[in-house]
Amino acid sequence: MLVSELAERADVPLATVKYYLREGLLTPGETTGPRRAEYDDSHLRRLRVLRLLREVGGVPVTSLRQVVEALDDEGLAVHDTMTLVADVISAGPGPQTQDPVALEIVDRVITAMGWDGIRAESLDRQRLASLVTLLNGPGPLAANVEVLTFYAGVADQLARAEIALVDHSTERSHLLEQMVTGSVVYGQVFELLRQLGHEHHHAQVATGSARPQPVGT
Amino acid sequence: MLVSELAERADVPLATVKYYLREGLLTPGETTGPRRAEYDDSHLRRLRVLRLLREVGGVPVTSLRQVVEALDDEGLAVHDTMTLVADVISAGPGPQTQDPVALEIVDRVITAMGWDGIRAESLDRQRLASLVTLLNGPGPLAANVEVLTFYAGVADQLARAEIALVDHSTERSHLLEQMVTGSVVYGQVFELLRQLGHEHHHAQVATGSARPQPVGT
DNA sequence: GCTGCGTGGATACCGGAACTATCTTACTAC
DNA sequence: GTAGTAAGATAGTTCCGGTATCCACGCAGC
């Protein structure tokens, strides 16, 4: 297919596709003449992934370039690609504080969960420590190991389920695209469900019903 | 305190505080002279909340104005304020699709959860439907009622816990600020923990250990 | 073969968001 | 009385994510 068709099929303005090509987010189509180039299904899939990351995940375009680099590096194991992508994708700027106390709280949670596959350089780990610093600074909120471990337990349920859901036997590129988009979209899905849960339970409190209890019924 | 002190205590550039005042995100201090105004602790707390919503939650400044309006409307019940704020805060633009099929899927999940306190106009509900449309469009991912209900169950655990955690007996303004910031910050905390969970379980898969199982051990 | 649409490629421009800098006037503390 | 800063207003800046325009030219239909 030609660019215009690619753009139309992905429901993306042509100008934007050209922009992505310029930025190196899409590999140029196969040139079939001086003013002619052919694009295939892999381009279409890639473009869809990019739009999803941008629009649903809010991933900035500069980060997208890092994502495609990781995705296209055939020499990289699936696992390594995913950690690379994870470092880039999750929201917020890099960690600004390296408060050792917060880091230790985070590490204790990680240990309590038995999560032994986490790199010390994991940006998520450091970002989490920043948030803990923030929570334990001025203000009424506080994060302790117990609460965080509870959260981690819940998060673990999701992580397990999500990994179990993907078909691990498919080809590398398809598998990665599936995992990356899944992670982003289901992250949003969960966040919305959490908000809906809030809305319901707030209503419960407001109408004078019993306060919701954290664990059992 | 004077503006400069307010800015310093909240660790926000003075120019930014002035900007927020201009935008109506902060109420003007009490004028004690033609070129003098006094700010108090409520301003400081408000400013901290705003920065948190902006930096951690990524809430745009224009939405912040709506948030403060809801927060400052003393005639509004706590519950109603929260739903108003929730509509404004959660990420993404308003819903663009109103696919009846997706909406019905969402509603079935809501019913299955026994969530009867959710307004039909809830933006989160509609945003979720948009995501479901997206998932069930082209591409390998798919969202069915079962999977979504599983997610909703997990989300419900969090929502319960979070509501149980706040001290419901404090004064309106403090309570709301606590709930709003808590919702945003813990949303991020959870997302990071979910990513960490992924990182661990991916590592498990990569090292050839048993694949993680969704529910039990 | 001619024509006119559309292509690939390059470059320039735009609009919104979130600040940031400057300037003016005037109080206030020393 | 004078140096320092506050308040308030206005204008300017940076970054991001696109759009728009331009050009020279090949291809499809006639």
Side-chain angles (χ1 to χ4, degrees):
Chain A
M1 73 192 91
L2 309 215
V3 246
S4 46
E5 189 181 348
L6 176 66
E8 193 170 346
R9 287 228 260 164
D11 196 30
V12 174
L14 177 60
T16 304
V17 176
K18 286 186 168 187
Y19 169 58
Y20 284 3
L21 282 164
R22 242 178 292 144
E23 294 296 313
L25 303 186
L26 288 169
T27 56
E30 186 145 341
T31 322
T32 62
R35 263 160 230 290
R36 209 123 264 250
E38 274 291 311
Y39 295 83
D40 58 24
D41 265 13
S42 76
H43 290 98
L44 182 56
R45 274 189 291 112
R46 170 60 52 88
L47 183 51
R48 288 212 173 105
V49 171
L50 290 171
R51 292 305 286 179
L52 223 133
L53 293 189
R54 267 277 328 114
E55 303 208 316
V56 179
V59 180
V61 172
T62 50
S63 306
L64 287 182
R65 201 194 283 99
Q66 295 175 254
V67 171
V68 299
E69 270 167 25
L71 248 39
D72 288 341
D73 186 342
E74 294 283 340
L76 226 51
V78 171
H79 168 56
D80 297 313
T81 310
M82 282 310 289
T83 62
L84 225 60
V85 169
D87 271 354
V88 162
I89 275 188
S90 13
Q96 50 262 58
T97 4
Q98 54 268 49
D99 172 5
V101 179
L103 251 190
E104 203 203 308
I105 291 178
V106 171
D107 285 340
R108 275 206 268 165
V109 174
I110 290 177
T111 313
M113 290 304 301
W115 285 347
D116 53 10
I118 296 186
R119 303 153 298 146
E121 333 84 66
S122 167
L123 280 192
D124 287 330
R125 170 174 165 269
Q126 293 168 242
R127 281 195 262 251
L128 186 52
S130 300
L131 276 192
V132 170
T133 315
L134 203 62
L135 280 168
N136 292 338
L141 296 88
N144 54 49
V145 177
E146 287 73 42
V147 174
L148 288 176
T149 307
F150 168 73
Y151 271 78
V154 179
D156 192 68
Q157 294 179 52
L158 280 200
R160 279 168 188 278
E162 282 165 8
I163 288 182
L165 275 180
V166 297
D167 177 8
H168 226 265
S169 64
T170 39
E171 177 210 339
R172 181 198 140 93
S173 68
H174 282 66
L175 177 61
L176 281 171
E177 284 175 357
Q178 201 183 137
M179 294 203 302
V180 171
T181 55
S183 173
V184 167
V185 180
Y186 276 105
Q188 271 294 317
V189 166
F190 182 79
E191 173 60 18
L192 289 173
L193 284 168
R194 178 172 155 270
Q195 293 297 336
L196 287 176
H198 277 164
E199 179 162 349
H200 166 71
H201 289 301
H202 275 307
Q204 292 293 99
V205 175
T207 55
S209 314
R211 292 274 297 286
Q213 292 302 308
V215 184
T217 312
Chain B
M1 73 191 91
L2 295 283
V3 247
S4 47
E5 189 181 349
L6 176 66
E8 192 170 348
R9 287 229 260 164
D11 195 30
V12 173
L14 177 59
T16 304
V17 176
K18 287 185 170 186
Y19 168 59
Y20 284 3
L21 283 164
R22 247 176 288 143
E23 295 296 312
L25 303 186
L26 289 168
T27 56
E30 187 145 339
T31 323
T32 62
R35 263 156 233 288
R36 209 123 262 251
E38 273 291 310
Y39 296 84
D40 58 25
D41 265 14
S42 75
H43 289 98
L44 182 56
R45 273 187 293 112
R46 171 59 52 88
L47 183 52
R48 289 213 171 105
V49 171
L50 291 172
R51 290 307 284 180
L52 223 133
L53 293 189
R54 267 282 320 118
E55 304 208 316
V56 178
V59 180
V61 171
T62 51
S63 305
L64 287 181
R65 200 195 281 98
Q66 295 175 254
V67 172
V68 300
E69 270 167 25
L71 248 39
D72 288 341
D73 187 342
E74 294 283 340
L76 226 50
V78 170
H79 168 58
D80 298 312
T81 310
M82 283 309 290
T83 63
L84 224 61
V85 169
D87 271 353
V88 162
I89 274 188
S90 11
Q96 50 261 59
T97 3
Q98 54 268 48
D99 173 6
V101 180
L103 252 191
E104 204 204 306
I105 291 177
V106 171
D107 285 339
R108 275 206 269 166
V109 173
I110 291 177
T111 314
M113 290 305 301
W115 285 348
D116 54 9
I118 296 186
R119 304 153 298 146
E121 333 84 66
S122 167
L123 281 193
D124 288 329
R125 170 173 165 271
Q126 293 167 242
R127 279 195 263 251
L128 186 51
S130 300
L131 277 191
V132 170
T133 316
L134 203 63
L135 281 168
N136 292 339
L141 296 89
N144 55 49
V145 177
E146 287 73 43
V147 174
L148 288 176
T149 307
F150 168 73
Y151 271 78
V154 179
D156 192 68
Q157 294 179 52
L158 279 200
R160 280 168 188 277
E162 282 165 10
I163 289 182
L165 275 180
V166 297
D167 177 7
H168 227 266
S169 64
T170 38
E171 176 210 339
R172 181 197 140 93
S173 68
H174 282 65
L175 177 61
L176 281 171
E177 284 174 357
Q178 203 183 135
M179 292 203 303
V180 172
T181 56
S183 173
V184 167
V185 180
Y186 276 104
Q188 269 294 319
V189 166
F190 182 79
E191 174 60 18
L192 289 173
L193 285 168
R194 178 172 155 272
Q195 292 296 339
L196 287 176
H198 277 165
E199 179 162 350
H200 166 69
H201 289 300
H202 275 307
Q204 293 292 101
V205 175
T207 55
S209 314
R211 293 275 296 286
Q213 291 302 308
V215 183
T217 311

